[in-house]
Amino acid sequence: MKKNIVLFVLFVLPIVAYLFFASGVNSFTTLPVITPKVADFGNWNSLNGKKISLDKKITVLGFSGTNILENRGNYFNLNEKIYKRYNGFEDLQFVVLCPTGTEKEAQKIVDALSPFTDVKNWNFVFASKEEIQKFYDGLHLKEKLKENLGTSNVYIIDKERNLRGRKDPKEYKEGYDTFHPSELSNEMLDDFKIILYEYRAALKKNHNATKQL
């Protein structure tokens, strides 16, 4: 009897524990909506000439401000911790909204990332300062943009254009600070996995599972 118990503890219990954690805590939760149905982008130019829209895409959205190069370390943090891990998903895009006139600086960021990253899902989009402020105001966030129209935070917007985050007052989070790699590796990565799980589950439920997610 004791031998069977020892065998159970040594072999069976670790397997059960592995299966539990492999299934992921994410399968038991969802990520709340902070702001529903945010506005789509206007007819704004992108660095690569593509028309960028929030519709039917999971979007990681940032605001560069006018001093893009001064904050280039933030983009490298985001690239290493999140982008490189998930950039193969066709339904995912990373979008940085920049003031018109900063195109050359944005191109330098892309050029710096491209030697070691497939930058196809990095999108820099340009709008006037007034348009950027109006769009940001429409997100109804607690944090305000800096005077240069930038923030180190990035935001997760789902395919239905809902801005997602954490609403619990004890851990409220509407954005994720790219200045801190640990926040990207922990809070943002956890929340991002929830979003992906939601869509994987929906695809399986509708028998439309694809490699896109």
Side-chain angles (χ1 to χ4, degrees), residues 3-193:
K3 182 179 180 180
N4 290 336
I5 293 175
V6 171
L7 290 174
F8 178 83
V9 171
L10 289 177
F11 297 102
V12 178
L13 195 58
I15 294 174
V16 173
Y18 170 79
L19 291 174
F20 173 78
F21 289 110
S23 66
V25 177
N26 294 349
S27 61
F28 303 101
T29 186
T30 58
L31 196 63
V33 173
I34 301 295
T35 305
K37 297 297 180 183
V38 303
D40 201 0
F41 297 135
N43 189 26
W44 301 334
N45 295 324
S46 67
L47 197 60
N48 56 16
K50 292 192 304 183
K51 168 64 178 175
I52 305 300
S53 171
L54 295 173
D55 282 328
K56 300 180 180 179
K57 290 283 189 178
I58 297 174
T59 302
V60 175
L61 176 66
F63 294 79
S64 73
T66 54
N67 55 342
I68 299 179
L69 293 180
E70 291 180 22
N71 299 315
R72 58 187 178 274
N74 296 350
Y75 300 108
F76 284 89
N77 290 340
L78 183 62
N79 188 71
E80 290 298 314
K81 300 299 182 181
I82 306 294
Y83 179 89
K84 288 174 72 172
R85 184 167 182 165
Y86 293 106
N87 72 330
F89 296 140
E90 296 178 13
D91 295 335
L92 173 66
Q93 62 182 357
F94 285 62
V95 179
V96 183
L97 190 52
C98 312
T100 299
T102 59
E103 288 84 353
K104 290 183 179 179
E105 289 82 356
Q107 184 62 58
K108 289 180 180 179
I109 296 294
V110 174
D111 292 343
L113 293 172
S114 59
F116 52 89
T117 301
D118 181 356
V119 295
K120 66 178 181 180
N121 287 324
W122 272 109
N123 299 282
F124 288 82
V125 177
F126 304 91
S128 69
K129 294 180 179 180
E130 294 76 16
E131 288 172 318
I132 292 174
Q133 186 64 63
K134 181 179 179 180
F135 179 85
Y136 186 87
D137 291 343
L139 299 178
H140 303 295
L141 302 174
K142 292 183 178 181
E143 183 206 24
K144 303 301 181 184
L145 276 182
K146 298 177 182 178
E147 290 184 4
N148 68 356
L149 298 174
T151 172
S152 58
N153 279 359
V154 292
Y155 308 92
I156 297 175
I157 299 178
D158 67 23
K159 288 187 175 184
E160 286 72 44
R161 302 208 316 266
N162 300 312
L163 190 147
R164 309 288 286 274
R166 304 184 185 188
K167 298 186 79 171
D168 188 328
K170 295 181 180 179
E171 58 173 10
Y172 180 84
K173 187 164 290 295
E174 57 191 18
Y176 309 85
D177 195 342
T178 58
F179 183 77
H180 300 289
S182 61
E183 184 165 332
L184 300 178
S185 298
N186 295 303
E187 289 96 330
M188 185 174 183
L189 188 58
D190 287 346
D191 292 353
F192 200 73
K193 287 178 179 178

Side-chain angles (χ1 to χ4, degrees), residues 191-209:
D191 292 353
F192 200 73
K193 287 178 179 178
I194 294 174
I195 294 291
L196 295 183
Y197 173 83
E198 288 180 12
Y199 285 104
R200 284 190 179 114
L203 287 170
K204 289 180 180 179
K205 183 176 181 180
N206 296 322
H207 306 290
N208 289 322

